[in-house]
C-alpha cells in the first residue's frame, strides 16, 4: 500500500513528501537509513519541526509508473517540502530521453502542486550512477555513465525551467567505485553510508525552503 504514512513525527509543524523509486525507499537498507529520513533528522537538528516523509516510491518505477502510483494514491494534501528522485529505471530499460523529458516535466509539475504551487519548496535529486556498483561489472560502465549524465542534463534543464531546485548527488554516488562500503548488500543499490552523504548534500537546499 502507498503512500507510506509519516512517523513518528506526524504531528510536527511541517510536512514532507518524498517521491521516487528504489533510491527513495532505500532498497536493501533499513527505513532509518534512507536519505529522506536522514534529511528530515538533519532539518530537525537545524530547528525545523518537520515530520518524517510520506513516501510514494517503489523499486523499479519509471517516471510513468511513479505518476500512475501518485494518481492511485489519491493524495490530496499539500506539503511544505517535496523531494523527487526518479529516472534510473528509464535509463536501465533503454527508454528515450524525449520520453523522460516529457514524463519528468509532468512529475515536476505534480510535485509543485503538492508543494502548494511553490516551486521553491520542491527539491529534485539527480540520478545516481549504478554503473559503479558490483552489479554492473559485466556491463558497459562507460555507456551507463554517459546515459546517466544525459538523463541528468535533461532533469537539470527541466528543473531550471520550472524554478525548482536541482541537487547533484551523482558525483557522490561514484565514490562507490573505489569504496564498496557505499554499496548495499544486494551489490546494486547504495548503503546507508551513501544515503547519509546524499542527505548532507541536499540539506542546504532543504534548509533554504524554511529560511534556514
Amino acid at each position: 500500500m502507498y503512500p507510506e504514512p509519516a512517523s513518528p513525527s506526524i504531528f510536527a509543524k511541517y510536512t514532507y513528501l518524498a517521491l521516487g523509486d528504489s533510491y527513495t525507499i532505500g532498497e536493501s537498507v533499513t527505513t532509518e537509513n534512507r536519505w529522506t529520513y536522514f534529511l528530515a533528522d538533519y532539518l530537525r537538528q537545524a530547528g525545523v519541526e518537520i515530520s518524517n516523509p510520506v513516501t510514494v516510491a517503489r523499486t523499479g518505477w519509471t517516471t510513468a509508473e511513479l505518476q500512475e502510483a501518485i494518481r492511485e494514491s489519491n493524495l490530496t494534501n499539500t506539503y511544505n517540502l517535496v523531494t523527487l528522485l526518479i529516472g534510473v529505471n528509464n535509463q536501465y530499460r533503454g527508454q528515450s530521453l524525449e520520453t523522460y523529458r516529457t514524463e519528468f516535466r509532468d512529475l515536476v509539475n505534480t510535485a509543485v502542486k503538492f508543494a502548494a504551487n511553490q516551486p521553491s519548496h520542491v527539491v529534485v535529486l539527480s540520478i545516481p550512477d549504478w554503473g559503479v556498483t558490483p552489479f554492473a561489472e559485466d556491463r558497459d560502465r562507460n555507456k551507463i555513465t554517459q546515459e546517466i549524465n544525459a538523463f541528468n542534463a535533461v532533469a537539470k534543464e527541466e528543473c531550471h525551467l520550472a524554478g525548482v531546485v536541482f541537487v547533484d548527488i551523482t558525483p557522490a554516488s561514484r565514490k562507490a567505485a573505489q569504496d564498496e562500503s557505499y554499496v548495499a548488500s544486494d551489490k546494486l543499490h547504495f548503503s546507508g553510508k551513501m544515503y547519509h552523504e546524499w542527505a548532507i548534500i541536499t540539506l542546504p537546499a532543504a534548509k533554504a525552503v524554511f529560511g534556514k
Side-chain angles (χ1 to χ4, degrees), residues 19-205:
L19 306 172
D21 51 32
S22 59
Y23 298 126
T24 296
I25 64 168
E27 181 70 28
S28 295
V29 302
T30 63
T31 299
E32 293 75 18
N33 278 294
R34 297 175 182 181
W35 69 265
T36 57
Y37 277 67
F38 283 132
L39 181 62
D41 188 52
Y42 276 125
L43 284 170
R44 287 190 287 268
Q45 291 179 35
V48 179
E49 191 181 341
I50 194 166
S51 65
N52 283 335
V54 172
T55 303
V56 182
R58 181 172 291 179
T59 297
W61 276 353
T62 61
T63 43
E65 289 162 340
L66 173 57
Q67 188 71 280
E68 179 61 24
I70 291 170
R71 284 191 288 266
E72 292 177 0
S73 72
N74 295 316
L75 281 175
T76 57
N77 294 337
T78 57
Y79 299 82
N80 301 105
L81 172 65
V82 181
T83 61
L84 173 64
L85 198 179
I86 193 73
V88 69
N89 295 297
N90 297 68
Q91 180 274 329
Y92 183 80
R93 297 188 200 177
Q95 296 183 3
S96 71
L97 287 174
E98 292 74 18
T99 296
Y100 178 67
R101 184 183 295 276
T102 299
E103 294 175 356
F104 180 80
R105 182 185 298 150
D106 288 344
L107 277 170
V108 169
N109 290 335
T110 296
V112 171
K113 290 176 183 176
F114 278 126
N117 295 313
Q118 299 183 81
S120 63
H121 286 229
V122 176
V123 178
V124 173
L125 274 66
S126 65
I127 304 167
D129 190 348
W130 65 275
V132 301
T133 67
F135 180 84
E137 63 185 358
D138 60 346
R139 298 169 186 260
D140 187 340
R141 286 174 157 161
N142 287 333
K143 182 173 183 285
I144 294 168
T145 292
Q146 291 170 3
E147 290 179 353
I148 293 289
N149 288 344
F151 274 76
N152 279 329
V154 167
K156 186 174 182 179
E157 289 173 5
E158 292 300 322
C159 287
H160 176 73
L161 290 171
V164 307
V165 178
F166 179 82
V167 175
D168 188 5
I169 54 87
T170 309
S173 75
R174 290 174 175 145
K175 291 181 180 181
Q178 285 78 42
D179 186 349
E180 285 199 23
S181 68
Y182 285 114
V183 180
S185 58
D186 66 2
K187 303 299 182 182
L188 170 59
H189 294 92
F190 296 98
S191 68
K193 179 179 176 181
M194 178 67 78
Y195 292 140
H196 179 261
E197 293 202 9
W198 294 2
I200 291 173
I201 295 167
T202 308
L203 183 60

